Amino acid sequence: MKKSTLLAASVFFGAISINAQDIVFANPVLEDNSFVVKYDMDNHKFAESNDFEIDETFVFAIDVTGTPYETALKEKPRNPAVLGRSMAHDFYVNNDVCGFEHYKNEGNLDGRLFHIEGNIYGAVFNLMQLAQGRFKDGCFGLVSDGVYDATADGVKVVFGANHFGFGWSATDHGEEWWDAIAAPIDNLWFSTAPYTGTKKGADFYFDEYTPGSALEGCEQVYTDKGYARPEAWAAMQAGVREVSIADTDAPVEYFNLQGVRVNEPAAGLYIRRQGRNVSKVIVM
């Protein structure tokens, strides 16, 4: 993918801007009908713009006020196994690798959002780190010589996202999933600020700041690089990290490509995890 691809994506975005009647989230909306998704944790409000760059750490948030989720997330589930409810997301980028077929070529970045306050749900993200940690950076600007088009001077990356509710149980993070709570909302668009390379955030992982799984009581296959709970924001700003087990001392685990743990892997392709180190391996 050439540098012009992502630049063109920003221009093309103007032609697909959502209409006012399509706006469902209560996030602030900019003049081009894109959403402000950056949240100011210190002042408990949305920022005036999305001034974060592709490799900068920020708090992403959605405000579900006025949507079917506002009441559904507060209702007691009929299923007694469901321990709680929250929101989830899929991020995808408009470029010539993924196009808008964001479920092809591993072109989406999915994750769980957590309750911040009121009707606002979100998480701490570094979008470049997240793409790298999920082995999906090929859809987010990686070229053959290892240089990211997304980090070229002046480039703005346009993201689309869909959001949906989920409920989790002690054994299944998808006990309620996708449209089990309310119809998914898929018209949220936002873009990064033009890239300058002056705001790059240090690498961070979910378990460096908050204990427990990102999937509420279930195993998490990926490293969760560039992803943390909102309440970790203050600790991150202060440079405080949890002390975690050394990766070299952690047990080795194998998962198939669907994310299911495999105790005795037969021949095939698997995801190998040891601590925060995750790689794809072929078992012979």
Side-chain angles (χ1 to χ4, degrees), residues 23-28 35-37 39 44-46 60-70 73-74 87 113 116-122 163 185 188:
I23 297 174
V24 290
F25 288 114
N27 292 45
F35 286 85
V36 174
V37 295
Y39 195 73
H44 307 280
K45 64 179 183 179
F46 282 93
F60 172 94
I62 56 171
D63 186 344
V64 300
T65 301
T67 73
Y69 289 107
E70 181 179 5
L73 291 171
K74 300 172 185 177
M87 294 294 294
L113 302 179
I116 295 179
E117 55 188 324
N119 293 319
I120 297 174
Y121 293 79
H163 290 88
I185 298 173
L188 184 143

Side-chain angles (χ1 to χ4, degrees), residues 101-122:
E101 302 295 326
H102 51 279
Y103 290 111
K104 297 181 180 179
N105 302 318
E106 297 186 338
N108 67 308
L109 294 174
D110 64 324
R112 313 298 173 254
L113 302 179
F114 305 93
H115 183 244
I116 295 179
E117 55 188 324
N119 293 319
I120 297 174
Y121 293 79

Side-chain angles (χ1 to χ4, degrees), residues 6-18 29-35 50 94 100 156-160 187-192:
L6 289 175
L7 290 171
S10 295
V11 174
F12 182 61
F13 175 60
I16 59 170
S17 294
I18 55 178
V29 181
L30 300 175
E31 291 183 358
D32 61 0
N33 283 335
S34 64
F35 286 85
N50 295 322
N94 173 17
F100 289 99
K156 294 174 62 176
V157 184
V158 179
F159 283 88
N187 62 356
L188 184 143
W189 292 91
F190 65 94
S191 64
T192 66

Side-chain angles (χ1 to χ4, degrees), residues 2-205:
K2 299 181 185 295
K3 176 179 177 180
S4 60
T5 302
L6 289 175
L7 290 171
S10 295
V11 174
F12 182 61
F13 175 60
I16 59 170
S17 294
I18 55 178
N19 297 318
Q21 63 265 27
D22 295 327
I23 297 174
V24 290
F25 288 114
N27 292 45
V29 181
L30 300 175
E31 291 183 358
D32 61 0
N33 283 335
S34 64
F35 286 85
V36 174
V37 295
K38 181 180 178 179
Y39 195 73
D40 183 346
M41 293 288 288
D42 296 327
N43 296 300
H44 307 280
K45 64 179 183 179
F46 282 93
E48 295 183 0
S49 66
N50 295 322
D51 59 355
F52 55 87
E53 297 180 15
I54 186 69
D55 55 6
E56 180 181 358
T57 301
F58 72 104
V59 178
F60 172 94
I62 56 171
D63 186 344
V64 300
T65 301
T67 73
Y69 289 107
E70 181 179 5
T71 55
L73 291 171
K74 300 172 185 177
E75 292 177 348
K76 184 177 181 179
R78 294 181 180 180
N79 183 348
V82 174
L83 302 176
R85 286 174 166 176
S86 192
M87 294 294 294
H89 74 88
D90 280 317
F91 292 146
Y92 49 95
V93 68
N94 173 17
N95 62 29
D96 63 351
V97 178
C98 301
F100 289 99
E101 302 295 326
H102 51 279
Y103 290 111
K104 297 181 180 179
N105 302 318
E106 297 186 338
N108 67 308
L109 294 174
D110 64 324
R112 313 298 173 254
L113 302 179
F114 305 93
H115 183 244
I116 295 179
E117 55 188 324
N119 293 319
I120 297 174
Y121 293 79
V124 178
F125 286 116
N126 183 302
L127 295 171
M128 183 64 79
Q129 292 176 22
L130 184 66
Q132 293 171 328
R134 297 291 180 85
F135 302 104
K136 296 181 178 182
D137 42 4
C139 274
F140 289 79
L142 184 63
V143 294
S144 58
D145 60 0
V147 177
Y148 283 90
D149 288 340
T151 55
D153 288 345
V155 169
K156 294 174 62 176
V157 184
V158 179
F159 283 88
N162 58 48
H163 290 88
F164 54 98
F166 72 100
W168 68 87
S169 70
T171 58
D172 184 358
H173 66 266
E175 191 77 37
E176 295 179 314
W177 200 246
W178 193 241
D179 58 356
I181 297 176
I185 298 173
D186 62 1
N187 62 356
L188 184 143
W189 292 91
F190 65 94
S191 64
T192 66
Y195 191 72
T196 65
T198 62
K199 299 181 178 182
K200 184 176 181 179
D203 282 1
F204 68 96
Y205 294 82

